[in-house]
Amino acid sequence: MPSQTFAGSLSSPKVDVVVDTGNPLLNHTVDGFLKIGTVAVAKTLVEETYHVVQRGSLSKHNLEDALKKMCKEGAYWGAVAGLYVGMEYGVERVRGTRDWKNAMVAGAVTGAIVSAVTNSKGDKVVMDAITGGAVATGVEIIKYLT
Amino acid sequence: MPSQTFAGSLSSPKVDVVVDTGNPLLNHTVDGFLKIGTVAVAKTLVEETYHVVQRGSLSKHNLEDALKKMCKEGAYWGAVAGLYVGMEYGVERVRGTRDWKNAMVAGAVTGAIVSAVTNSKGDKVVMDAITGGAVATGVEIIKYLT
């Protein structure tokens, strides 16, 4: 009986593109965009590979589709992460301290902006801002737990 | 013209409940559950307060509803976080090193378990595992950027 196994190895990607724009806030944003964009591209690549293995066939159309998805997801995750990292850096500069409240403010602002750009409805934006702030605060706390 | 403003102050909550179960893996899990559960409860509290301010009225029914939501969201976020933190600790013990791959594995396993518990469909579980791994990797990278 032919059986299908899904095995793969993933070597640590070493991505270290550093773009110096001369502005520290912009540098943080670009850094976040590139690094998290890479993670999203890798994620989409794994997803598409899984689909191909499951179907057992690969066509030119699938490849084009996968490439398009990689660009789209990479740009989206990268933009959100860049916004967040830049925002946290900005809040830290303004407040002059580093604590979980920076993460909360940056998360809330990022949530509000992303929500406003994609949905643009009054109440939904406020809810997404609250969720963004809570998620960022949670992640900040998990940092110290792990 | 009467105007309505939404102002509030949030003092840093100091939650430091430490439950020692005698087992380090379980301790991590309980810690994650309590701390992230608290964040989710606070988030729901802020959301409900915003709704009350917007409506301008508060009834017993609203309060009961808010309390129910706080319990539900707190338990859900807490369970996911506890699972993740415990999993990362376990992976670290097994692998013997600390790097972003622990986060990826822990995120993938957590994503798969949460997905299996809530949806339980073959393909969706794999996709959620991939997304969980990618999100955890992204967060791990953001740690070093901020």
Side-chain angles (χ1 to χ4, degrees):
Chain A
M1 202 196 243
S3 80
Q4 203 178 41
T5 54
F6 179 61
S9 84
L10 185 72
S11 61
S12 328
K14 285 237 190 300
V15 184
D16 237 348
V17 189
V18 176
V19 181
D20 194 349
T21 57
N23 176 322
L25 194 145
L26 203 56
N27 277 355
H28 273 76
T29 306
V30 170
D31 215 28
F33 180 86
L34 289 175
K35 295 215 168 112
I36 304 302
T38 310
V39 172
V41 168
K43 167 188 167 277
T44 314
L45 195 61
V46 174
E47 274 179 3
E48 293 302 310
T49 310
Y50 175 77
H51 281 310
V52 167
V53 170
Q54 247 194 352
R55 267 197 310 265
S57 71
L58 176 70
S59 71
K60 190 160 163 279
H61 176 74
N62 297 143
L63 276 177
E64 273 168 14
D65 204 46
L67 199 65
K68 252 184 231 157
K69 265 192 209 153
M70 277 160 70
C71 293
K72 223 175 102 188
E73 291 227 1
Y76 181 74
W77 284 44
V80 174
L83 191 60
Y84 173 76
V85 172
M87 203 61 77
E88 212 200 347
Y89 178 78
V91 173
E92 191 191 317
R93 286 297 293 270
V94 171
R95 290 188 61 230
T97 47
R98 289 180 74 93
D99 56 22
W100 63 268
K101 276 177 264 182
N102 290 357
M104 194 182 71
V105 173
V109 175
T110 307
I113 292 177
V114 171
S115 176
V117 169
T118 50
N119 313 297
S120 56
K121 285 265 180 63
D123 251 26
K124 184 90 172 56
V125 173
V126 175
M127 288 299 119
D128 286 347
I130 295 173
T131 306
V135 169
T137 310
V139 166
E140 192 70 18
I141 290 172
I142 284 191
K143 258 194 208 181
Y144 298 103
L145 293 181
T146 54
Chain B
M1 202 195 243
S3 81
Q4 202 178 40
T5 54
F6 179 62
S9 84
L10 186 72
S11 61
S12 328
K14 286 237 191 298
V15 184
D16 237 348
V17 190
V18 176
V19 181
D20 196 348
T21 57
N23 175 322
L25 195 144
L26 203 57
N27 277 355
H28 273 76
T29 306
V30 170
D31 214 29
F33 180 86
L34 289 175
K35 294 215 167 113
I36 304 301
T38 310
V39 172
V41 168
K43 166 190 167 274
T44 313
L45 196 62
V46 174
E47 274 179 2
E48 293 303 311
T49 310
Y50 174 79
H51 281 310
V52 166
V53 170
Q54 246 193 353
R55 267 197 309 266
S57 70
L58 175 69
S59 70
K60 190 161 162 278
H61 176 75
N62 296 144
L63 275 178
E64 272 169 15
D65 203 45
L67 199 65
K68 253 184 230 159
K69 265 193 208 153
M70 275 160 70
C71 292
K72 224 175 101 188
E73 291 228 0
Y76 181 73
W77 283 45
V80 173
L83 191 60
Y84 173 76
V85 171
M87 204 60 75
E88 212 199 346
Y89 178 78
V91 173
E92 191 190 316
R93 288 295 293 269
V94 171
R95 291 189 62 229
T97 49
R98 288 179 75 92
D99 56 19
W100 63 268
K101 276 177 265 183
N102 290 358
M104 195 182 68
V105 173
V109 176
T110 307
I113 293 177
V114 171
S115 176
V117 169
T118 51
N119 313 297
S120 59
K121 286 265 179 65
D123 251 27
K124 184 88 174 57
V125 173
V126 175
M127 288 299 119
D128 286 347
I130 295 173
T131 305
V135 169
T137 311
V139 167
E140 191 70 19
I141 290 172
I142 283 190
K143 259 195 207 179
Y144 297 103
L145 292 181
T146 54

